[in-house]
Amino acid sequence: MSATQQTAATGGKTFFGHPRMLANLFSVELWERFSFYGMQALLLYYMTYSLAEGGLGLDAGVAAGLVGAYGGGVYLSTILGAWLADRVLGSERVLFFSAIIIMSGHIALALLPGAVGLAIGLVLVGVGSGGLKANASSLVGTLYAPGDDRRDAGFSIFYMGINIGALVGPLLTNLAWDAYGFHVGFGLAAIGMAAGLVQYAAARKNLPPTAHDVENPLPRSAYRRWILIAAAAVVLIAVVVATGLLDAGNLANVMAYTAIAATIAYFAVILTSRRVTAVERRRVYSFMPLFVASAAFWSLFQQQFTVVALYSESRLDRNLFGWEMPPGMVQSINPVFIIVFAGVFAAVWTRLGSRQPSSPVKFALGLMVMGLAFLAFIPFAGGGPNTTPLLGLAGILLLFTWAELFISPIGLSVTTKLAPEAFRTQMLALFFLSISLGTTVSGLLAGFYSEETEVPYFAFSGITALILGGALLAAAPVIRRSMSGVR
């Protein structure tokens, strides 16, 4: 155990009772999420608004699919970031370079016009965000000794930092869009990421030595082969785009199939590795139902950026004392609730200690609450333009928040606990793959949503989540035994 981990396990200087470096990672992720969600709050509207309104004039169904595919691509790219961390650079350096790439993407969205700026910006932000996400969470895991009961609470605090950025980002970028246009809003996202990069560059030297470890170094003799593989992949993508085999209409389907294939491959690599012990292998098997539950959850939760975004523009009464609130500001409601309740959930888990529900039970409860959130749309469905009160949607998004707090920070935490030592960061990439698959599916599901199908759409989604949550709850004791001592 490193000196830093020993300090974390035994006390010493802390940040709200946690390792002090949690404050630095908290701040980095805050600024990255400011830029990411600030941009994403504008994205669907930028695609669907007419050219005269400063948008691209895309069909709403196609745009929703693209938003889902983009979100899925962000989480899919965590594979690349995790592989680079475990085999080439280590988590700390991958995080630093990823932040630079993200900032470049936001600058492209702000300065380059039309579809060219959209494509370049989203690719850079997607690749960079994937590299940053898996490694930031992995670095949080290095701050805690094995068996430290504060780990779940620490990830909840880290998650609160994420959501402070997610709260402020959409508010400011929407105000900028409303006053000056889309590209000024994207420019604010670039400024936020620049602030995060400066902050991280100043603090990165204080991370524990384990943050710089390359868990499974790639032999120098293999570098040339992997560079050629990467070049071939880039050429292949360019060819399928140039020939029309991959386009806006089928991108979401391709992304979903890619996420499924990558998931199968990743599980196969980990389970067949000779560096994985029998106990570690059992724990990986126990992770599989949690993976499925996570994918199902995110396929509903990420509809905040597709179905809820469309609903907010057409159904929501956004009049506040004579001022019409930009629809993208709705994206800040969930982070407000996260900020309020993340600390509450963290305090509950800390107080319960070893008596808290197991991770499978928390996942099951999260799925069922998510199902209730979709069923709560039904009383407002079919009511016509501007008929849903803002407080009504806020109540629904409160359920979104509670569901999220049962699954997202807990998922990050349990993944670090179940991960084999040789695949620490890459197991986090597997968890993000579940989010990739769910996010991509959220865009595909949005294609079935319309004003005419609201009631069956919300009913089917809600009931399916309740059934899946109930099944996971029933299976929780069996999953818990396979986790071999991990809660």
Side-chain angles (χ1 to χ4, degrees):
M1 186 187 302
S2 73
T4 301
Q5 287 175 317
Q6 288 173 346
T7 300
T10 59
K13 296 179 179 179
T14 64
F15 170 65
F16 294 110
H18 291 264
R20 289 187 70 187
M21 276 306 300
L22 181 62
N24 292 307
L25 295 173
F26 173 101
S27 299
V28 171
E29 195 75 344
L30 184 156
W31 284 111
E32 189 273 331
R33 293 291 88 182
F34 171 96
S35 68
F36 181 86
Y37 284 110
M39 178 273 290
Q40 189 146 320
L42 306 184
L43 188 56
L44 184 73
Y45 305 119
Y46 179 54
M47 290 183 183
T48 56
Y49 274 43
S50 68
L51 296 176
E53 297 170 305
L56 301 181
L58 297 180
D59 173 77
V62 172
L66 286 174
V67 171
Y70 160 70
V74 168
Y75 293 100
L76 187 62
S77 66
T78 59
I79 296 175
L80 175 61
W83 186 87
L84 287 171
D86 278 354
R87 308 226 52 192
V88 182
L89 296 171
S91 291
E92 189 280 323
R93 285 184 290 273
V94 172
L95 190 150
F96 179 68
F97 294 132
S98 296
I100 295 173
I101 294 171
I102 294 169
M103 184 180 67
S104 301
H106 287 301
I107 291 172
L109 281 166
L111 299 182
L112 299 179
V116 172
L118 180 71
I120 294 174
L122 291 186
V123 168
L124 290 175
V125 173
V127 171
S129 295
L132 190 145
K133 289 184 73 64
N135 288 288
S137 302
S138 180
L139 291 176
V140 172
T142 67
L143 303 179
Y144 295 91
D148 191 333
D149 282 339
R150 299 176 303 167
R151 182 182 290 254
D152 277 9
F155 272 97
S156 291
I157 292 171
F158 176 69
Y159 208 65
M160 184 167 62
I162 291 172
N163 282 278
I164 292 173
L167 161 65
V168 178
L171 290 177
L172 295 185
T173 58
N174 268 268
L175 287 173
W177 161 37
D178 192 46
Y180 304 108
F182 285 107
H183 291 284
V184 175
F186 293 141
L188 275 184
I191 293 171
M193 192 62 245
L197 182 60
V198 170
Q199 185 274 331
Y200 181 70
R204 58 193 293 222
K205 63 181 181 296
N206 298 321
L207 284 164
T210 51
H212 304 277
D213 289 348
V214 180
E215 298 291 339
N216 183 20
L218 184 70
R220 288 284 177 181
S221 59
Y223 273 43
R224 182 181 178 186
R225 175 165 58 91
W226 281 102
I227 290 172
L228 291 174
I229 290 173
V234 171
V235 170
L236 177 62
I237 293 172
V239 169
V240 296
V241 171
T243 58
L245 293 175
L246 181 65
D247 57 29
N250 64 17
L251 180 60
N253 286 307
V254 171
M255 192 66 68
Y257 295 140
T258 303
I260 292 170
T263 298
I264 294 171
Y266 243 120
F267 272 119
V269 167
I270 294 173
L271 290 170
T272 58
S273 172
R274 288 178 293 182
R275 304 181 66 188
V276 175
T277 67
V279 171
E280 289 176 332
R281 190 169 287 108
R282 248 190 335 269
R283 289 172 175 167
V284 173
Y285 279 118
S286 74
F287 179 72
M288 290 181 176
L290 302 183
F291 178 96
V292 174
S294 176
F297 166 77
W298 290 107
S299 70
L300 299 181
F301 181 85
Q302 294 290 66
Q303 290 186 43
Q304 285 187 88
F305 305 109
T306 54
V307 169
V308 175
L310 294 170
Y311 188 93
S312 298
E313 187 180 26
S314 63
R315 288 282 195 252
L316 185 64
D317 181 4
R318 293 181 279 112
N319 190 292
L320 295 175
F321 308 105
W323 174 67
E324 188 173 56
M325 179 182 77
M329 280 192 172
V330 168
Q331 304 304 329
S332 289
I333 295 176
N334 168 250
V336 169
F337 289 140
I338 288 287
I339 293 167
V340 172
F341 287 101
V344 174
F345 274 65
V348 170
W349 304 145
T350 300
R351 179 173 290 274
L352 288 175
S354 61
R355 295 178 291 110
Q356 64 188 278
S358 65
S359 295
V361 172
K362 292 175 183 176
F363 268 58
L365 293 174
L367 264 178
M368 289 190 285
V369 173
M370 196 71 234
L372 293 175
F374 267 73
L375 294 180
F377 273 107
I378 293 176
F380 303 109
N386 306 320
T387 56
T388 300
L390 186 58
L391 284 178
L393 183 59
I396 293 171
L397 292 178
L398 176 61
L399 293 175
F400 272 55
T401 300
W402 288 343
E404 182 183 7
L405 287 170
F406 273 117
I407 288 183
S408 189
I410 306 308
L412 291 171
S413 179
V414 76
T415 302
T416 65
K417 290 186 282 190
L418 293 174
E421 188 61 33
F423 292 92
R424 187 183 67 202
T425 305
Q426 293 184 69
M427 271 288 284
L428 275 168
L430 257 178
F431 177 71
F432 286 124
L433 266 176
S434 72
I435 306 177
S436 171
L437 180 58
T439 302
T440 304
V441 171
S442 75
L444 293 172
L445 289 175
F448 296 98
Y449 168 80
S450 69
E451 294 181 3
E452 294 75 24
T453 61
E454 282 183 346
V455 172
Y457 183 87
F458 292 133
F460 174 80
S461 300
I463 292 171
T464 300
L466 287 172
I467 291 172
L468 289 175
L472 182 61
L473 188 63
V478 175
I479 298 170
R480 169 83 184 279
R481 286 194 293 272
S482 297
M483 294 168 72
S484 302
V486 171
R487 289 187 59 83

